[in-house]
Amino acid sequence: MSDSRELTSMIHAYHQQTQDYLNQMKELLQNAAPSTPFISYFTYSLSITHGPSDENLCLGSFHIQNFSSHPVTNPYLCIKLSEGAPFSFSGRFVYDESKMPRRAQGGWKRLNERENKEEYWLQPLEQSTIPPGQTLTFPNFQIRWTSEDNYAGSISGFVYCEENTEGAASLNSINLNGAVPKEVEPDDGSEQS
């Protein structure tokens, strides 16, 4: 009978030790700060045709989600189109804050020069922080192109803030490529022997 009590006591001690280890691990995980306090990603939909001179369209949004327990301060982003791609980017941003319509909420300001058609550095006008657990979105941008010839290119995103001045790449990018079908010579119905 003493063996049974001793065995029960040992099982109870191991169970308690396991619970203590699990509690320590939970505490460490809760206190561990992630290397980047946020993630960013694209959501998008496509309308693609491969007829000559037909316009193709990508409608997208870029999201920055704060997973930390602290605000992300002074966020700004860069949306980059690959060099030489036939894409044209547009979105709801201004170059000068004073020209922003008063009723337009959620506005963004472009920080780099208008002539640059490959990089779009954008900063929110009304929001200087992303509170813990919240998401900041650059909504409803458009990428347009025609498929007169085969094409390939990508749209990538990067986020910068006071907590990460080196920048962090988005979890995904938008990769677009297509081959324009060649016109087939009509068959004149004659057979060769």
Side-chain angles (χ1 to χ4, degrees), residues 1-10:
M1 198 140 209
S2 68
D3 286 340
S4 174
R5 284 187 190 159
E6 191 174 316
L7 184 58
T8 303
S9 177
M10 287 174 58

Side-chain angles (χ1 to χ4, degrees), residues 122-139:
L122 303 165
Q123 181 177 39
L125 290 172
E126 300 169 342
Q127 191 170 347
S128 61
T129 62
I130 306 172
Q134 298 294 310
T135 301
L136 174 66
T137 299
F138 175 65

Side-chain angles (χ1 to χ4, degrees), residues 59-128:
L59 296 173
S61 293
F62 188 76
H63 311 276
I64 308 166
Q65 192 167 6
N66 181 359
F67 282 113
S68 75
S69 58
H70 305 287
V72 172
T73 51
N74 296 320
Y76 60 101
L77 59 95
C78 175
I79 294 178
K80 185 173 183 179
L81 284 62
S82 54
E83 188 176 341
F87 306 139
S88 172
F89 180 88
S90 62
R92 294 183 63 190
F93 56 84
V94 296
Y95 292 93
D96 182 0
E97 292 175 52
S98 65
K99 294 181 181 176
M100 182 79 178
R102 290 186 183 215
R103 285 188 257 160
Q105 292 184 352
W108 290 74
K109 178 182 179 180
R110 184 165 180 190
L111 303 173
N112 63 331
E113 63 280 352
R114 189 181 299 245
E115 294 77 28
N116 189 334
K117 301 298 182 191
E118 292 174 357
E119 290 187 6
Y120 294 81
W121 291 83
L122 303 165
Q123 181 177 39
L125 290 172
E126 300 169 342
Q127 191 170 347
S128 61

Side-chain angles (χ1 to χ4, degrees), residues 174-187:
I174 303 172
N175 298 301
L176 302 167
N177 61 63
V180 177
K182 303 282 187 225
E183 290 195 26
V184 179
E185 294 290 323
D187 187 6

Side-chain angles (χ1 to χ4, degrees), residues 1 7 14 27 40 90 140-141:
M1 198 140 209
L7 184 58
Y14 286 132
E27 188 176 324
S40 61
S90 62
N140 304 321
F141 63 79

